Amino acid sequence: MFQSFLSNFSFGAIFFSLTITLLFASFMFFILMLGSSRLSKENRTKAMYDTLRANSLRKIKRYQKEWKIEWFDAMEMWLMVIGNGYKPKYDPYAFLVTSTGFGVFVFIYVLKVTLTFLLAMACGIVGFLLPILLVYVKFLSVASATRKVFLPFVDAYTQTYLDYDRVVTLAFKELGNRCPEEMRSVINYINLCIADSTVPFEKSILKFAEILNFGWAHDFVSIVISGKNGEYKSIEGALNNLSISLWAAKSVDLDRNAIIKVVFLIMTVLTVVAFFLMQLNMEFLTEAKQMYFATPEGINMLTISVLILVVSFLGALIWSKRGNRL
């Protein structure tokens, strides 16, 4: 099957798509050159990038405020969490530009091969979103790993809270080696947010619950906020009760994780069977190869099939990583 696919693969369309994408990038670079002609040669390139970055980020923030959608802030948080918590895994702006370039490449390639604008547009949008979705899946994987160690984290936080005079913010900062390894990037990010004096403590600590995204984390955050606001002299009892509830819930989540593994096994088997049936069809029906790879209808059908397969698989990954699972 793979030999049949490679023998009909359009390398010319790839080169054409790369050429158009590079021309588009060169045009944008030329516009930058004109806009920065007054700069010295030594700092011109860096200043162009910094100016473009600053202007673009300013517009993104403005659009977010107008549309009330904080998608770029969320992407920054994802990149911070999959990094070490102190700095993002990739520069958010550079990652967004790369994702846009990949979407343009996919759009031009599919348009060249299928000659169908709507299908090319759909594939281009998926191509643009694919790197972002992969980062989101990685972020969800980190969040899922943190949920698995949430119980020892609560115990470690409770002990640190008692050791440091019942100061909730200091307990986060001084967790150190007591903090489970899977949780460290998240705690580093939360400590960075808490250290930002321009952001209220409640908003910073709520990001912890947003990252883990399950009910127990929201309960933990509510307890911590209560302790910070002085509603209780000591939150030790509430934290201990939370640990007891987590022990009771852990056995239920083991059964749920087993079901998820079965679903992924079934999806993998169905994908392999689909490719096997396609190869079997081409073996017994010689005209099938011509129909799949040499007719507009066959190419469109293959493109739609791959598109559905990619979206479905990513959707299943996202579904498996979300929810109240320990």
Side-chain angles (χ1 to χ4, degrees):
M1 174 187 173
F2 292 104
Q3 293 178 350
S4 301
F5 179 75
L6 290 175
S7 62
N8 293 273
F9 198 73
S10 179
F11 288 102
I14 287 184
F15 294 141
F16 177 78
S17 303
L18 285 173
T19 302
I20 297 298
T21 305
L22 290 175
L23 286 175
F24 176 77
S26 300
F27 173 75
M28 296 300 296
F29 184 77
F30 177 73
I31 295 298
L32 285 175
M33 286 289 293
L34 291 179
S36 61
S37 58
R38 296 182 181 179
L39 298 174
S40 63
K41 294 182 179 180
E42 290 76 13
N43 62 357
R44 181 174 297 173
T45 303
K46 185 178 185 302
M48 283 191 301
Y49 176 77
D50 291 342
T51 301
L52 178 62
R53 174 190 170 90
N55 291 336
S56 300
L57 290 178
R58 193 180 304 113
K59 291 181 180 179
I60 288 173
K61 299 291 184 181
R62 189 187 70 196
Y63 292 147
Q64 283 190 151
K65 186 176 181 181
E66 291 177 355
W67 298 343
K68 297 181 180 179
I69 301 176
E70 297 182 352
W71 61 271
F72 190 79
D73 292 338
M75 189 176 72
E76 284 184 312
M77 182 181 70
W78 303 341
L79 292 171
M80 290 285 287
V81 170
I82 67 175
N84 58 12
Y86 291 120
K87 61 180 180 179
K89 181 76 172 179
Y90 311 104
D91 177 68
Y93 177 70
F95 181 81
L96 184 61
V97 171
T98 303
S99 181
T100 303
F102 184 70
V104 172
F105 168 78
V106 171
F107 168 75
I108 296 172
Y109 175 78
V110 176
L111 184 63
K112 175 71 175 177
V113 173
T114 65
L115 301 177
T116 306
F117 180 81
L118 291 178
L119 186 58
M121 180 63 70
C123 292
I125 293 174
V126 172
F128 165 72
L129 294 176
L130 183 60
I132 299 175
L133 288 176
L134 290 176
V135 167
Y136 182 53
V137 169
K138 177 62 177 176
F139 163 77
L140 290 178
S141 299
V142 174
S144 178
T146 60
R147 289 197 291 267
K148 293 177 181 178
V149 297
F150 186 65
L151 176 57
F153 163 77
V154 172
D155 292 337
Y157 179 86
T158 303
Q159 187 60 45
T160 309
Y161 167 76
L162 295 175
D163 291 344
Y164 285 87
D165 298 328
R166 294 178 168 82
V167 180
V168 294
T169 54
L170 194 59
F172 276 104
K173 184 179 179 180
E174 299 297 335
L175 271 170
N177 293 331
R178 289 178 178 176
C179 181
E181 184 176 354
E182 296 85 349
M183 185 75 76
R184 288 180 184 174
S185 65
V186 177
I187 296 303
N188 290 339
Y189 176 66
I190 295 301
N191 281 326
L192 199 64
C193 294
I194 293 175
D196 186 359
S197 58
T198 62
V199 180
F201 171 80
E202 289 77 5
K203 186 175 181 180
S204 298
I205 198 64
L206 281 173
K207 290 185 179 181
F208 180 82
E210 181 183 349
I211 292 171
L212 270 66
N213 191 30
F214 75 144
W216 304 111
H218 287 280
D219 293 340
F220 173 78
V221 167
S222 299
I223 294 171
V224 171
I225 292 176
S226 299
K228 180 67 168 60
N229 294 336
E231 296 179 12
Y232 299 98
K233 293 182 178 179
S234 175
I235 57 175
E236 178 186 359
L239 291 173
N240 288 332
N241 290 334
L242 179 62
S243 296
I244 294 172
S245 299
L246 288 169
W247 274 111
K250 198 169 183 63
S251 59
V252 177
D253 285 307
L254 292 176
D255 297 334
R256 188 181 297 167
N257 291 333
I259 295 174
I260 292 173
K261 292 179 180 178
V262 172
V263 171
F264 268 100
L265 178 62
I266 293 174
M267 281 192 60
T268 304
V269 171
L270 289 176
T271 302
V272 173
V273 168
F275 280 102
F276 174 75
L277 291 176
M278 181 178 172
Q279 175 66 24
L280 195 65
N281 188 20
M282 289 190 294
E283 291 291 338
F284 287 98
L285 187 63
T286 56
E287 295 84 0
K289 180 179 178 181
Q290 181 75 12
M291 182 189 72
Y292 284 141
F293 297 104
T295 63
E297 292 80 7
I299 292 174
N300 289 343
M301 182 180 66
L302 287 176
T303 305
I304 294 174
S305 301
V306 172
L307 191 65
I308 293 175
L309 180 65
V310 170
V311 172
S312 300
F313 193 76
L314 283 176
L317 276 175
I318 293 172
W319 172 82
S320 69
K321 301 296 182 181
R322 293 174 65 90
N324 292 342
R325 301 180 180 92
L326 290 173

